[in-house]
Amino acid sequence: MSVVVEVMPKPEILDPQGQAVLNALHRLGFTEVLGVRQGKRFELELSGEADPAVLARIEEAAATLLANPVIEEHTVHVGTTVHDVAGHEPAAAGD
Amino acid sequence: MRVGVVTFPGSLDDQDAARAVRYAGAEAVSLWHGEDDLAGVDAVVLPGGFSYGDYLRCGAIARFAPVMRSVVKAARDGMPVLGICNGFQILCEAHLLPGALIRNDVRTFVCRDQALRVENADTAWTSGFEAGQQIVVPLKSGEGGYVAPEATLDALEADGRVVARYAGSNPNGSMRDIAGITSENGRVVGLMPHPEHAIDALTGPGTDGLGFFTSVLASVVSA
């Protein structure tokens, strides 16, 4: 079973990497892009099922090591299939 | 007096930090990240560099090195600890100091001789300065932007825990021009610029940085 942890800089925290990517996109003509935030995605391979107790452990791991709660937010979800926030077609990860 | 200098995989400035300790008149003791024995030292320096390649986040993996278990415990018991640059990042990740360091707002690595204003001359590492004194030490970092929630910043200011601020223009977007902060008891100090590179006019912009290392000698001897 796989669990995905996604980590994003908090909205109020400056994201110079995202800003640099945005500037590059604009130079390439992708002017419809208004903003970019850059985060991290961790795919964790687990030995057993992702039951609530296991997910609680992963949550602890995320808050302890994978994300710094001072500057980042994180989400934990089961499986490696990504749904974007607008509910578009899911994209298979790892292709 | 014995001052430990920790070497992590990827530390760069451990030799300069040890040299600064010797210049100040103390014995420098090399400490290894994989050992949890502090060898009976009286104070610890976490030097600059790129511990564990800065993977994940700067300092995030070093924070869990065996030596850090002992450093955190000793710091909570009052041992003076100075984290310089990457060491400052490790202290924040270890929650010995509040806040975090993020990528410079200018998006480039900044390397220059930096003017600082010492705000708090009562810590274990700054007692040899005077409050308001301006000094120059090298700054060399890509992720030196100090950030913390507004309430935390207000509390740091109210308690006099801002140790040093950037004088003149802000080089990296640090909130409230903060270059260094201290713990509640004034024993743990995190500093983004590098005082260990300013201890000899031959090899640095001057000798202003030596005061951090002579200060801790005085603080331990008088404690």
Side-chain angles (χ1 to χ4, degrees), chain B residues 1-5 14 17-22 26-30 41:
Chain B
M1 156 146 192
R2 290 151 54 82
V3 179
V5 178
D14 43 343
R19 176 170 170 257
V21 167
R22 291 192 296 270
E27 179 188 351
V29 179
S30 294
V41 296

Side-chain angles (χ1 to χ4, degrees), chain B residues 5-79:
Chain B
V5 178
V6 177
T7 300
F8 297 96
S11 291
L12 295 180
D13 300 322
D14 43 343
Q15 295 302 319
D16 271 21
R19 176 170 170 257
V21 167
R22 291 192 296 270
Y23 266 54
E27 179 188 351
V29 179
S30 294
L31 300 176
W32 183 240
H33 70 104
E35 306 278 342
D36 59 7
D37 179 10
L38 296 185
V41 296
D42 303 295
V44 169
V45 177
L46 303 180
F50 300 86
S51 58
Y52 298 89
D54 274 354
Y55 291 174
L56 187 60
R57 291 178 309 278
C58 303
I61 298 178
R63 171 218 170 166
F64 293 105
V67 72
M68 284 305 296
R69 282 199 295 271
S70 304
V71 170
V72 169
K73 181 176 183 306
R76 296 204 191 287
D77 291 341
M79 179 184 283

Side-chain angles (χ1 to χ4, degrees), chain A residues 5-85:
Chain A
V5 178
E6 288 182 328
V7 177
M8 291 297 294
K10 285 182 175 177
E12 69 270 24
I13 297 291
L14 183 71
D15 178 16
Q17 291 187 107
Q19 189 64 43
V21 172
L22 176 66
N23 292 350
L25 286 172
H26 284 178
R27 280 198 302 278
L28 292 169
F30 295 104
T31 52
E32 67 273 36
V33 180
L34 295 180
V36 176
R37 307 282 290 170
Q38 181 176 328
K40 300 188 187 95
R41 171 187 164 94
F42 301 87
E43 298 181 356
L44 310 183
E45 202 64 40
L46 303 184
S47 55
E49 288 302 302
D51 59 35
V54 167
L55 287 177
R57 293 268 299 159
I58 300 303
E59 171 62 34
E60 182 189 351
T64 305
L65 178 64
L66 303 182
N68 179 348
V70 175
I71 51 173
E72 296 169 324
E73 302 172 333
H74 66 271
T75 58
V76 176
H77 52 94
V78 178
T80 56
T81 304
V82 185
H83 297 267
D84 72 16
V85 288

Side-chain angles (χ1 to χ4, degrees), chain B residues 59-137:
Chain B
I61 298 178
R63 171 218 170 166
F64 293 105
V67 72
M68 284 305 296
R69 282 199 295 271
S70 304
V71 170
V72 169
K73 181 176 183 306
R76 296 204 191 287
D77 291 341
M79 179 184 283
V81 178
L82 174 64
I84 302 166
C85 194
N86 191 220
F88 186 9
Q89 294 161 340
I90 294 168
L91 290 175
C92 287
E93 285 282 346
H95 307 306
L96 282 175
L97 295 174
L101 284 308
I102 67 167
R103 198 167 296 258
N104 296 345
D105 65 346
V106 291
R107 287 180 241 146
T108 56
F109 193 93
V110 172
C111 183
R112 70 188 199 194
D113 293 337
Q114 176 67 46
L116 303 177
R117 190 170 61 254
V118 177
E119 301 281 11
N120 180 341
D122 292 323
T123 79
W125 298 92
T126 57
S127 59
F129 297 102
E130 289 176 19
Q133 184 177 346
Q134 188 156 316
I135 63 174
V136 175
V137 301

